[in-house]
C-alpha cells in the first residue's frame, strides 16, 4: 500500500511512457472484464486510476455514444500517455485524486478500477468516496489482468492471509464502505471482483 501520493506519482510517472509496451497482452483481459461488468448504453462510468487508459475503449464501446466515460488518474505522465495513444477520444481525462473526486453525489452508474486498490492510502475511506459518486444500485469492478498469486510472483513476494485482495478481507472492506460484493474471481489470468452500491 502506498501512503504517499508523491511516491505514487514518481513510481508511475517514471514508467508511464513504456507502460503499454511492458504489458502488451493485457488488452483482451480488459475487454473481457468490461464485458462482464454489464454496462448498458447510456451509462455514466468512471475509470478510477485509469493510468494510460487501457480500459477506456472497451468502456466507451459498452456505454455507446450516449454514455459518459471519465478517466481519472493522479499521475500527469499516465494521462499524457493515454492522450498519445488516442484514448482521450473515448472519454474525458481528469487529473485528480480518486480519494477526493470533483463529482457530485450519485452522479455515476459505475466505477471500473484496474490495479487501483493496492495503491489506495486508506482503502475503506477511498472505497466510500467511490460509493459516494455512484447511485444506489450502481456497480463497481475491481480488476487486475492477472490474479493475486501471479502478481505476487511477478513482484517476488508470497501471498499472505493479510492480503487486502483476499476474499475474506475484501468482502468486509467493501461492505463497510458502501458496497455489496456480488462476485469474486481470482484466477491466474485475471482478478475481477464485482460489487453493487448499497441503497
Amino acid at each position: 500500500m502506498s501512503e504517499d501520493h508523491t511516491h505514487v506519482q514518481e513510481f508511475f510517472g517514471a514508467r508511464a511512457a513504456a507502460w503499454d509496451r511492458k504489458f502488451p497482452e493485457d488488452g483482451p483481459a480488459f475487454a473481457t472484464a468490461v464485458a462482464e461488468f454489464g454496462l448498458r448504453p447510456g451509462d455514466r462510468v468512471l475509470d478510477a486510476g485509469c493510468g494510460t487508459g487501457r480500459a477506456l475503449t472497451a468502456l466507451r464501446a459498452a456505454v455507446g455514444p450516449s454514455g459518459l466515460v471519465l478517466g481519472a488518474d493522479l499521475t500527469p505522465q499516465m494521462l499524457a500517455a493515454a492522450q498519445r495513444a488516442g484514448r482521450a477520444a473515448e472519454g474525458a481525462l481528469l487529473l485528480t485524486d480518486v480519494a477526493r473526486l470533483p463529482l457530485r453525489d450519485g452522479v455515476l452508474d459505475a466505477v471500473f478500477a484496474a490495479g487501483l486498490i493496492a495503491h489506495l492510502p486508506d482503502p475503506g475511506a477511498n472505497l466510500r468516496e467511490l460509493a459516494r459518486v455512484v447511485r444506489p444500485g450502481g456497480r463497481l469492478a475491481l480488476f487486475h489482468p492477472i490474479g493475486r498469486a501471479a502478481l505476487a510472483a511477478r513482484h517476488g513476494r508470497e501471498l499472505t492471509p493479510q492480503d487486502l485482495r483476499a476474499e475474506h478481507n475484501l468482502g468486509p472492506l467493501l461492505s463497510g464502505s458502501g458496497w455489496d460484493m456480488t462476485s469474486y474471481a481470482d484466477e491466474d489470468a485475471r482478478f475481477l471482483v464485482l460489487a453493487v452500491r448499497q441503497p
Side-chain angles (χ1 to χ4, degrees):
M1 300 263 190
S2 175
E3 297 179 3
D4 181 353
H5 286 160
T6 302
H7 172 74
V8 170
Q9 288 176 313
E10 288 174 354
F11 179 88
F12 286 104
R15 292 161 176 79
W19 193 260
D20 288 355
R21 291 193 304 276
K22 186 172 180 181
F23 304 108
E25 307 300 321
D26 287 352
F30 274 81
T32 299
V34 170
E36 289 186 40
F37 196 18
L39 294 169
R40 294 171 298 221
D43 275 354
R44 299 155 298 173
V45 60
L46 169 69
D47 184 357
C50 67
T52 62
R54 293 182 293 170
L56 294 178
T57 300
L59 292 171
R60 170 54 66 196
V63 303
S66 64
L68 173 71
V69 178
L70 301 173
D73 204 275
L74 188 64
T75 306
Q77 296 94 324
M78 282 290 195
L79 294 179
Q83 289 177 324
R84 285 193 301 275
R87 295 174 183 141
E90 309 295 350
L93 299 178
L94 306 174
L95 178 62
T96 191
D97 181 359
V98 299
R100 289 185 298 278
L101 290 164
L103 300 171
R104 295 190 316 273
D105 294 358
V107 72
L108 300 175
D109 298 296
V111 173
F112 184 87
L116 176 70
I117 196 164
H119 302 288
L120 295 175
D122 184 347
N126 303 150
L127 287 166
R128 276 192 295 279
E129 172 66 356
L130 296 180
R132 180 187 68 78
V133 299
V134 173
R135 63 170 174 78
R139 284 156 295 149
L140 171 70
L142 301 176
F143 169 70
H144 200 284
I146 60 175
R148 292 186 311 122
L151 185 62
R154 176 186 285 174
H155 294 295
R157 56 182 174 75
E158 297 282 329
L159 279 180
T160 70
Q162 291 76 37
D163 182 3
L164 180 66
R165 288 162 290 193
E167 187 172 6
H168 64 269
N169 295 324
L170 189 54
L173 176 65
L174 285 166
S175 66
S177 306
W179 302 98
D180 290 323
M181 187 164 65
T182 58
S183 69
Y184 181 94
D186 181 17
E187 304 155 359
D188 286 347
R190 68 159 186 172
F191 176 86
L192 180 63
V193 171
L194 302 180
V196 172
R197 170 74 162 81
Q198 294 167 358

